[in-house]
Amino acid sequence: MEKQIEQLMEMGATRGQARAALQQHKDVMEAAERIFEGKFDNVLDDDDAQMVVESSTATKRPRMATPDDDDDEEMEDDGEAEDFVDYDSDDDSMPVDANSKTNADVDPYSGIFFSKDRREEVIEVEEDSQTTTIAGSDAPVKLMMQGEWMKGCPEGSEQSFLFGLYSELTEGACQCPDCGMTVPRNKSDFFAIFPEFSSYIQHLLTIVRKTCQGCKKPFCVACGESINADKVHRPSAAQDDNPLFHCSNLQGVILGVGLFMLEQMFVEQSQSDTESKPRSNKRRKTTPLSSMTSTPSKDADDDEPYFPAHLAKGGIGYAGNLKEDNSGQLEAMALQHAKDEKIGNLLASIREYLPNLHRPGGGQTSDFLVHPTALAHLRRRFNNVCSALLRNDSLADMSDRRVLYFELLEWLGTISSHEALASMMAMPIMAVVSVKVVTPKKTSKSSSHFRERMIVYEGSASPRELLEGIAIQAQAAMKGLEGMKPADDGPKELTEEEKRMTIDHKGKSKESTTVVSEENQALINFCRRILSTTTAIDRSLRDTKGDAFVERLHTSLPRLFTSSQPGAYVDAGDSEESAKKAYVEWAKNTRFEYCDLTIPGSWSEDDPESTPQYKFYYNQEARNLANMDIPKRSLAIAKELAILTANLPVAWDSSIFLRVDETRVDVIKALITGPEGTPYYNGCYLFDIFLVQRYNDAPPHVKYMTTGGGKFRFNPNLYADGKVCLSLLGTWQGPGWVAGKSTLLQVLISIQSMILCEEPYLNEPGWANSAGTPQSHAYSGNVRRMVVKTAMLENLKNPPEPFEDVIRTHYRLKARSIKKQLDQWLAQDDGKTTTPDGGGYGGERVVGGSNNGFKADVEELKKLLDTL
């Protein structure tokens, strides 16, 4: 026994725990499993070990019933039915036998609604790699080591299941269940990492089913059970006699090894992308086409969304006649397609062995009896790949890569439809945030080395939450493609959003069937697939987990609001830190909304030819295009809306809010709050935007509206008449709009960071080298006075539609901070009168009254802030 005690102590058990476990379980592996499960946590020394007594009646581990159980001739009495429990049940009231495991033991994911604030520190072991030679293989094959097998953030008793299966399939021998003859098991049998997954499957097919040399009966080397052909060919089960579906042990090891191969391939591709081109220190989405958008995206659950850093002094950065280099784009797209196809094919091959109760031809034994290691590897390995792909912020990119994303949606649908796997959809994904390498150790038994690493995991968005972000993009794209309907192919179940979109045809005539371009139809199909998958997942979760589970899940999902949905009151709290947190959360929820921008009574619902008037500078242009169907433009708008729903930057320092007409998505209004560190800070600046007939071959039309009735020029690039000078819009020198590639998001961020800048004086042609001069300081002081009077005070007194709630909430949440800002601005003011046109500094024309009126404006604004 001493040798076995030493083995258990090497695994981390105390001597007392090892002795107590071996007294009850003669097999060292079974003893180790019970120790890992915590059965002997109360044993501290050898004296305690003598006091541990186990019940003489052995109990079976609760499990789900399989189809084979229905045909068993040797059924025990009805009392055994209590042993068969719902492996993934959320019902805490389920009766449990006193001698059996608790619900928490049976379901390692019973407490699935973990906070995303969860943090775990895990010590992982990395061993030196080993290779072996396998018959039929031309080159040595790498072996999967135990540390690689068990890698990841553990839940419940996962580690014991992983350790038990690895030990069972790599050590000792498998005994024939009929005559007792043994067949040796080797690590190379089940844990050989072949270059191709198909080669691994072919290898398993050659070794997993053995015929006993003694009794000549077949048995499974993975589980040691006999193979009963009569049970395989039953009407209720699959007719395919595939030996790899015989038992849950095979399911666990195939998914573990397959997902390890998938993770390795994904990491290698990501590293090759990193090495092939320079990367910024901001995380970008996983696509080589990310340079087509101007802003990197952050995780959906990040506290502080991306905000562009202030540019270096020197104007808006558009001097010169630089042109974008588009060479190599087609080659990059072809390379990405090849990579996606490779990963998609591997995903499809592995999915064949994913537990699936709706498998064509009927469920297999392993579909009903899910091995806990299968759940562990899905959560640890598949979720890593799933998370990276679902964080893509470009619906157009995902549609172009549909060969991969369609397969990913198949996986999510299959997982959500299985009772034992469905909980994964709501669990926060545990992501690695830091790695600390511990000094390598040398074992006493051999010359091999292993390294210990301290891995810190933190919770992030769940798969269902990430999928909702993409579904919001899909809904926006479908809205942009309204009217681009293909020929009706029969009735189909519509989502609630699609039902809503088909009701209101304000200002539009009923459209006849139109010919849809191939590219438009591809995007439509992709969006429908996303929305139908989301609906199917929720339906499956309701069937397997119940309505309460789904409702609780939905409360954590991101949502896209409309102006008809009143926003909840947001409390700023007692500190600036709480105000910042509340502000960012509020801004994320309200940055993009649909609303009604029409003038009431300006059109008739009974007259299909009637065209509404819009509260909009480009009203006439919008009316001229009311009944025009331009497929290329619709596709561009659909892609644009999908980008905007998820990528508008919001932060305490500065944010961008967008309002889109609910039936004319080319009619848009934007509000930008001035960036910190600039004379525009915390002002609200409004723009009317129209996506023109040739969009996006041509840039949008943008009009600046916060001009005090056409009196104030806030910037050399923002005229009093509303003209916006920007090279992207073709109204300023420098790189212009790139047809099919430039976006409205680029325009908005350019205005936010390049025009609303720290020293606006430098934006004037010829003054770019005047940074820090008295003239520049005087110009900024003049801007601050205009900002307080117009962009702050006037907007708060008479908030323009449709941003009334946004403006009031913005100033209410930031009231304490803005008061301090106003005091600083007042102290910095030079006392000069305001020059509306921005061309002079201390001119004769007085706008604000005696003593330039700035102090009076500040005091009035402070009083208004107090009323909020």
Side-chain angles (χ1 to χ4, degrees), residues 210-226:
K210 298 289 186 181
T211 300
C212 179
Q213 297 300 312
C215 62
K216 306 301 181 183
K217 293 182 179 179
F219 67 98
C220 175
V221 177
C223 64
E225 295 181 2
S226 59

Side-chain angles (χ1 to χ4, degrees), residues 426-448:
M427 289 186 68
I429 296 173
M430 299 303 292
V432 176
V433 294
S434 69
V435 179
K436 181 180 179 181
V437 179
V438 182
T439 304
K441 296 181 179 180
K442 187 173 182 180
T443 63
S444 58
K445 295 184 178 180
S446 67
S447 60
S448 63

Side-chain angles (χ1 to χ4, degrees), residues 588-608:
K588 286 169 63 177
N589 290 332
T590 59
R591 58 185 167 183
F592 184 99
E593 290 183 5
Y594 294 106
C595 63
D596 185 359
L597 295 178
T598 61
I599 298 175
S602 63
W603 59 286
S604 171
E605 294 185 7
D606 298 329
D607 183 5

Side-chain angles (χ1 to χ4, degrees), residues 261-413:
M261 292 181 177
L262 173 70
E263 192 177 40
Q264 291 296 107
M265 180 185 294
F266 192 80
V267 169
E268 289 171 2
Q269 289 191 6
S270 300
Q271 289 176 344
S272 67
D273 289 342
T274 302
E275 294 168 359
S276 64
K277 60 183 178 180
R279 303 284 294 223
S280 70
N281 59 358
K282 289 281 186 179
R283 189 192 70 80
R284 302 184 75 98
K285 67 179 186 291
T286 54
T287 168
L289 305 180
S290 59
S291 59
M292 294 171 63
T293 60
S294 65
T295 172
S297 67
K298 291 188 71 178
D299 293 352
D301 55 318
D302 281 348
D303 291 332
E304 294 290 337
Y306 166 76
F307 178 70
H310 294 309
L311 297 177
K313 297 178 180 179
I316 60 172
Y318 280 159
N321 295 309
L322 300 177
K323 293 185 178 179
E324 185 173 353
D325 182 9
N326 297 324
S327 61
Q329 183 186 7
L330 294 178
E331 290 83 353
M333 292 175 65
L335 179 61
Q336 184 64 52
H337 180 78
K339 291 179 178 180
D340 290 342
E341 192 170 35
K342 189 174 181 180
I343 292 182
N345 289 338
L346 179 55
L347 275 169
S349 299
I350 301 172
R351 181 166 54 86
E352 183 180 351
Y353 301 93
L354 191 65
N356 184 2
L357 299 177
H358 308 289
R359 189 182 302 278
Q364 301 276 3
T365 301
S366 60
D367 292 327
F368 292 85
L369 187 62
V370 179
H371 200 283
T373 59
L375 302 175
H377 286 299
L378 283 169
R379 193 180 57 78
R380 300 181 188 198
R381 301 185 188 279
F382 170 73
N383 271 355
N384 287 339
V385 177
C386 172
S387 174
L389 293 173
L390 291 182
R391 291 183 193 278
N392 193 334
D393 57 15
S394 171
L395 184 74
D397 177 65
M398 288 185 278
S399 177
D400 292 339
R401 301 171 62 188
R402 66 182 69 89
V403 65
L404 173 57
Y405 278 90
F406 275 173
E407 182 57 37
L408 179 63
L409 294 176
E410 287 286 350
W411 270 75
L412 295 177

Side-chain angles (χ1 to χ4, degrees), residues 199-237:
S199 301
Y200 174 69
I201 293 300
Q202 290 302 317
H203 166 70
L204 289 182
L205 289 171
T206 63
I207 60 100
V208 72
R209 181 173 289 185
K210 298 289 186 181
T211 300
C212 179
Q213 297 300 312
C215 62
K216 306 301 181 183
K217 293 182 179 179
F219 67 98
C220 175
V221 177
C223 64
E225 295 181 2
S226 59
I227 296 173
N228 189 331
D230 294 334
K231 287 188 177 181
V232 173
H233 298 292
R234 292 177 295 103
S236 61

